[in-house]
């Protein structure tokens, strides 16, 4: 896992601009703490920061390819992991390619030499890369099918800038830190519009997309998207297929030349990954699987259930650890520290945008990954299982399923994601946030593929599944990527394997929920690997603190913002509402719903001041 960046300018000689590339590359030192490399040609300059995972001595980047006469013909800067690189290497060797390293990077480069941009369809993994073709003077940007690895670009009058994160592009002196109304809407609502980069003029390569830049301009092509097909397998066959796919996926993702672990919450998803990893490692004669969980040293009092979280994680983690014999460590966090300005500043610098939702989950993930990184370089995680198997409570909420809005923003769950409580009413009206949500949802629905003859229920659930796989899961993958790479930890997500996603997207809902529970198929396919308590546990998301000390710290910080007449967020918030909040009682339990507006206001203020952003509304 690494950080990539670079730029192309067909009107400038970039041999003399290497310093700028060095600055852009340096912004991603956390993503790649092990090595740095820069390659510069006349009209292209590529940078790379490396986190060494496979072939530690080889695989240095940017990596070049030469013709038989010794001329450099291509240069690759690549981030990610390709899990089928060994099979591809054998195929390429049979076609006459010779390799100097054991790395998947070199396989990607030779794959491009053999198949051009068609190499993307052959890769199984998570990746984002750029290839400069010196012969034709063109740049290719490629992103994996599910968007696990990020990739942004900024078209210019004579070329393009690109980077794994916005910070790499913003480091270029010609890029303004400007955000328009379109970008601010993306920040304020839990809606991730494909290709929207928030900063004016910046875009994100869409998952499953190839972007080509030549002297003639920029073109885009989708090489993968979800397709509607008839599911012909019966229930036993479907369960068996899911089981076989998961076993193969996890086995592939155990490949690593550095210490590897799993992230274990005691929920179904992470427990399945941990169990299959334990089985795979045991079959190879390796040491027991290492796992990590997270909790808060105090919640103020015992865990209190809410709409999303019915049970605490710890008892189920213990059952799972005992069941598979994991070498486990529980990471205990200090709730008060989650509001620490220095920690929250580190989160902001990692994200480049105000982390407006998920609250204390951002700093807690940062601290969790920081602790994990002391012992492991690679971790397997359970993201995306809820999206592909149907795990969220709103999948079973008729209002959310049948409504004309994003399911996670339906009435039962919206309070967890609604940060408007402290926003100035005039700002809400000027941005037209309600219209934005309606338009965004309509756009998402137009992308849903249609299967002729499908039942009304399956058509509705296909819409729900599609919008989660193309919008909602992207927010989770972004959060996991930024917080893990901020401390140099590679997190792999087996449930994002495109073979599993493709297959399950077309499984009828009556099969996905055949026993009336969420994720019925996943339970049926893996129950024999798990303790009974985990099999029966109802979905409970990543933990958030309930300790009132966290909210008190946030309130104190908001009081300081309100007292400073130069606070940049003041024109955006409702001061009377903020004062009413500060005067109200915290209570014995701090709820995620009540804190959302508070966290949004504070994070906006920090972002505007730290990044010197110009709002052009």
């Amino acid at each position: 896992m690494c950080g990539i960046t670079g730029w192309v300018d067909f009107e400038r000689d970039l041999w003399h601009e290497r310093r700028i590339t060095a600055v852009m590359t340096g912004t991603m030192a956390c993503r790649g703490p092990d090595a740095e490399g820069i390659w510069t040609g006349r009209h292209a300059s590529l940078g790379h920061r490396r986190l060494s995972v496979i072939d530690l001595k080889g695989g240095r980047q940017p990596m070049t390819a030469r013709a038989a006469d010794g001329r450099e013909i291509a240069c690759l800067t690549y981030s990610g992991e390709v899990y089928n690189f060994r099979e591809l290497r054998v195929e390429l060797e049979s076609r006459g390619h010779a390799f100097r390293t054991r790395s998947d990077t070199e396989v990607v480069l030779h794959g491009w030499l053999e198949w051009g941009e068609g190499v993307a369809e052959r890769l199984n993994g998570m990746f984002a890369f750029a290839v400069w073709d010196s012969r034709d003077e063109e740049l290719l940007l490629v992103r994996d099918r599910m968007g696990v690895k990020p990739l942004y670009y900024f078209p210019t009058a004579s070329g393009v800038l690109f980077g794994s994160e916005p910070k790499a592009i913003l480091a270029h002196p010609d890029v303004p830190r400007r955000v328009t109304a379109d970008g601010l809407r993306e920040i304020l609502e839990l809606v991730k519009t494909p290709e929207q980069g928030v900063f004016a003029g910046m875009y994100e390569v869409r998952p499953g997309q190839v972007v080509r830049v030549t002297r003639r301009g920029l073109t885009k092509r989708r090489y993968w998207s979800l397709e509607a097909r008839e599911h012909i397998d019966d229930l036993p066959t479907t369960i068996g297929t899911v089981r076989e796919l998961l076993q193969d996926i996890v086995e592939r993702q155990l490949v690593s030349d550095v210490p590897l672990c799993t992230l274990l919450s005691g929920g179904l998803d992470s427990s399945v990954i941990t169990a299959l990893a334990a089985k795979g490692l045991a079959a190879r004669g390796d040491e027991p699987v290492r796992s990590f969980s997270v909790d808060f040293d105090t919640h103020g009092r015992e865990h209190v259930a809410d709409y999303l979280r019915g049970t605490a994680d710890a008892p189920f983690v213990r059952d799972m650890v005992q069941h598979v014999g994991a070498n486990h460590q529980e990471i205990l966090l200090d709730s008060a520290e989650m509001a620490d300005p220095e920690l929250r500043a580190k989160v902001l610098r990692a994200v480049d945008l105000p982390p407006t939702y998920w609250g204390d989950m951002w700093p807690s993930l940062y601290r969790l990954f920081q602790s994990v990184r002391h012992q492991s370089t690679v971790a397997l995680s359970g993201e995306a299982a809820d999206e592909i198997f149907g795990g969220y409570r709103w999948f079973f909420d008729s209002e959310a399923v049948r409504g004309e809005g994003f399911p996670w923003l339906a009435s039962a769950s919206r309070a967890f994601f609604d940060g408007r409580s402290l926003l100035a009413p005039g700002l809400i009206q000027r941005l037209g946030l309600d219209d934005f949500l309606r338009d965004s949802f309509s756009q998402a629905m137009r992308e849903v593929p249609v299967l002729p003859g499908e039942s009304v229920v399956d058509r509705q659930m296909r819409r729900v599944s599609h919008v989660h796989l193309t919008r909602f899961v992207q927010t989770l993958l972004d959060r996991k990527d930024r917080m893990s790479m901020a401390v140099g930890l590679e997190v792999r997500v087996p449930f994002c394997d495109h073979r599993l996603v493709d297959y399950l997207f077309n499984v009828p809902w009556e099969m996905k929920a055949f026993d009336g529970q969420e994720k019925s198929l996943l339970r049926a396919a893996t129950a024999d690997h798990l303790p009974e308590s985990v099999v029966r546990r109802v979905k409970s998301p990543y933990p958030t603190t309930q300790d009132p000390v966290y909210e008190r710290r946030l309130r104190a910080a908001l009081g300081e913002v309100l007292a400073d007449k130069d606070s940049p967020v003041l024109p955006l918030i409702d001061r009377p509402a903020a004062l009413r909040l500060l005067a109200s009682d915290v209570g014995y339990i701090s709820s995620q719903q009540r804190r959302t507006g508070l966290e949004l206001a504070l994070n906006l203020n920090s972002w505007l001041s730290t990044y010197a952003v110009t709002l052009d509304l």
Side-chain angles (χ1 to χ4, degrees):
M1 199 62 63
C2 310
I4 67 173
T5 189
W7 56 312
V8 170
D9 195 313
F10 295 108
E11 296 180 359
R12 295 165 71 172
D13 186 347
L14 298 188
W15 282 109
H16 306 295
E17 308 284 2
R18 186 182 178 92
R19 180 188 60 81
I20 294 177
T21 307
V23 172
M24 295 170 67
T25 305
T27 63
M28 293 180 299
C30 289
R31 292 188 74 92
D34 296 329
E36 177 179 292
I38 295 173
W39 176 91
T40 302
R42 183 177 180 186
H43 294 300
S45 186
L46 309 184
H48 187 268
R49 291 290 314 198
R50 187 183 186 201
L51 175 64
S52 301
V53 173
I54 294 176
D55 190 5
L56 306 188
K57 293 183 179 179
R60 292 183 178 275
Q61 298 186 55
M63 184 176 286
T64 59
R66 296 181 180 274
D69 60 5
R71 290 181 299 110
E72 281 189 350
I73 58 175
C75 183
L76 168 73
T77 183
Y78 158 83
S79 170
E81 301 294 345
V82 171
Y83 305 120
N84 63 335
F85 76 97
R86 290 171 173 166
E87 299 97 308
L88 291 174
R89 179 183 175 124
V90 171
E91 181 178 357
L92 288 165
E93 286 176 331
S94 72
R95 292 170 178 260
H97 291 261
F99 291 84
R100 296 168 294 157
T101 73
R102 296 185 298 105
S103 68
D104 59 337
T105 302
E106 192 176 12
V107 171
V108 173
L109 178 58
H110 281 263
W112 175 83
L113 291 171
E114 180 69 30
W115 299 300
E117 69 176 54
V119 67
E121 285 95 328
R122 295 173 176 264
L123 303 179
N124 176 296
M126 55 179 189
F127 50 84
F129 62 86
V131 182
W132 171 251
D133 186 335
S134 301
R135 299 162 298 183
D136 296 332
E137 290 195 325
E138 65 178 37
L139 180 76
L140 195 69
L141 300 174
V142 183
R143 192 177 181 199
D144 68 71
R145 297 168 180 83
M146 288 294 289
V148 180
K149 291 292 100 185
L151 185 55
Y152 294 83
Y153 65 98
F154 185 96
T156 66
S158 53
V160 71
L161 309 166
F162 68 89
S164 292
E165 298 177 8
K167 60 172 61 67
I169 297 172
L170 294 172
H172 193 283
D174 294 341
V175 178
R177 300 190 174 202
R178 187 171 67 92
V179 173
T180 66
D182 287 338
L184 189 56
R185 292 185 190 102
E186 294 287 331
I187 290 171
L188 297 179
E189 293 290 356
L190 188 57
V191 176
K192 187 170 174 60
T193 305
E195 302 188 52
Q196 167 63 258
V198 178
F199 290 96
M202 190 181 297
Y203 302 91
E204 191 171 14
V205 178
R206 184 169 186 156
Q209 187 179 66
V210 170
V211 176
R212 184 184 295 274
V213 182
T214 68
R215 289 182 178 273
R216 297 182 298 277
L218 183 150
T219 59
K220 298 179 288 187
R221 179 180 73 87
R222 297 284 299 281
Y223 71 87
W224 181 86
S225 61
L226 293 164
E227 297 179 356
R229 295 185 295 271
E230 183 180 3
H231 185 74
I232 59 175
D233 294 344
D234 61 14
L235 181 57
T237 303
T238 300
I239 293 172
T241 300
V242 169
R243 183 182 180 91
E244 292 172 3
L245 280 171
L246 283 172
Q247 289 174 338
D248 179 69
I249 290 165
V250 173
E251 180 66 28
R252 287 177 181 271
Q253 297 196 20
L254 291 176
V255 175
S256 175
D257 292 336
V258 293
L260 176 146
C261 69
T262 67
L263 304 175
L264 178 62
S265 70
L268 180 63
D269 314 338
S270 65
S271 296
V272 166
I273 300 301
T274 299
L276 293 177
K279 179 182 178 182
L281 293 172
R284 295 188 333 203
D286 289 348
E287 295 180 354
V289 64
R290 179 184 293 274
S291 61
F292 293 86
S293 64
V294 65
D295 205 346
F296 294 92
D297 55 6
T298 173
H299 282 292
R301 64 183 197 184
E302 292 299 317
H303 174 83
V304 175
D306 60 25
Y307 175 78
L308 295 181
R309 295 172 181 82
T311 54
D313 289 345
F316 301 94
V317 170
R318 287 194 292 269
D319 289 349
M320 189 63 204
V321 168
Q322 182 177 7
H323 188 76
V324 300
N327 178 4
H328 183 75
Q329 181 176 345
E330 182 182 41
I331 308 299
L332 289 176
L333 303 178
D334 178 4
S335 296
E337 193 203 5
M338 298 302 100
D340 178 66
E342 184 176 339
L343 174 58
R344 297 176 77 85
K346 291 179 180 178
V347 170
L348 177 62
R349 287 193 293 271
V351 182
D352 293 325
L353 296 170
T356 46
Y357 295 96
W358 313 115
D360 61 292
M361 293 184 231
W362 291 92
S364 68
L365 270 174
Y366 184 95
R367 280 291 186 245
L368 167 64
F369 292 151
Q370 198 173 45
S371 297
V372 171
R373 183 62 176 88
H374 291 315
Q375 302 176 60
S376 295
T377 308
V378 175
L380 272 62
S381 183
E383 260 74 23
D386 291 304
E387 285 77 11
I388 62 176
F389 285 100
Y392 294 115
R393 290 193 63 174
W394 49 79
F395 274 72
F396 297 83
D397 181 341
S398 60
E399 177 195 348
V401 169
R402 299 172 186 171
E404 292 301 314
F406 293 105
W408 54 90
L409 297 181
S411 59
S413 53
R414 181 170 177 83
F416 291 89
F417 309 117
D418 188 358
R420 296 188 190 184
S421 61
L422 297 185
L423 292 180
L427 177 66
I428 296 173
Q429 295 170 3
R430 191 180 352 159
L431 293 177
L433 292 181
D434 291 333
D435 290 338
F436 167 68
L437 288 176
R438 282 191 293 268
D439 292 344
S440 296
F441 183 73
S442 295
Q443 175 188 337
M445 291 300 99
R446 289 193 295 270
E447 297 176 5
V448 181
V450 175
L451 180 64
E454 194 169 43
S455 71
V456 173
V457 170
D458 283 332
R459 174 60 181 161
Q460 289 173 337
M461 297 312 298
R462 186 181 295 279
R463 295 195 331 163
V464 171
S465 176
H466 193 275
V467 78
H468 277 80
L469 290 169
T470 59
R471 267 71 173 175
F472 191 75
V473 77
Q474 297 302 316
T475 67
L476 304 180
L477 295 175
D478 282 353
R479 184 183 70 187
K480 186 63 64 73
D481 174 84
R482 300 306 191 278
M483 293 301 94
S484 61
M485 296 309 296
V487 297
L489 176 71
E490 174 177 301
V491 175
R492 300 175 180 177
V493 279
F495 288 114
C496 282
D497 187 293
H498 70 279
R499 297 171 297 162
L500 185 65
V501 175
D502 273 332
Y503 185 74
L504 286 165
F505 181 64
N506 288 292
V507 173
W509 181 246
E510 63 181 8
M511 279 193 186
K512 287 185 178 179
F514 70 85
D515 62 1
Q517 288 184 286
E518 84 280 2
K519 293 182 283 195
S520 303
L521 280 178
L522 183 57
R523 279 188 170 82
T526 60
D528 60 324
H529 293 300
L530 307 172
E532 183 63 23
S533 61
V534 172
V535 174
R536 290 186 282 103
R537 189 186 185 192
V538 176
K539 163 72 182 177
S540 187
Y542 181 86
T544 182
T545 183
Q546 295 180 330
D547 192 333
V549 68
Y550 172 68
E551 185 172 340
R552 292 193 189 103
R553 294 285 180 90
L554 294 182
R555 290 183 179 213
L558 180 60
E560 294 175 3
V561 168
L562 295 177
D564 182 356
K565 62 180 179 59
D566 295 323
S567 295
V569 79
L570 293 181
L572 306 181
I573 64 174
D574 183 343
R575 186 180 184 88
L579 292 173
R580 287 195 299 272
L581 173 64
L582 295 184
S584 65
D585 183 29
V586 175
Y588 292 104
I589 294 295
S590 178
S591 69
Q592 183 183 341
Q593 302 105 301
R594 191 170 62 236
R595 297 194 309 250
T596 304
L598 186 60
E599 290 159 333
L600 174 57
L602 290 172
N603 290 331
L604 274 173
N605 189 70
S606 297
W607 176 64
L608 290 169
S609 57
T610 301
Y611 278 73
V613 176
T614 299
L615 290 180
D616 186 2
L617 308 181

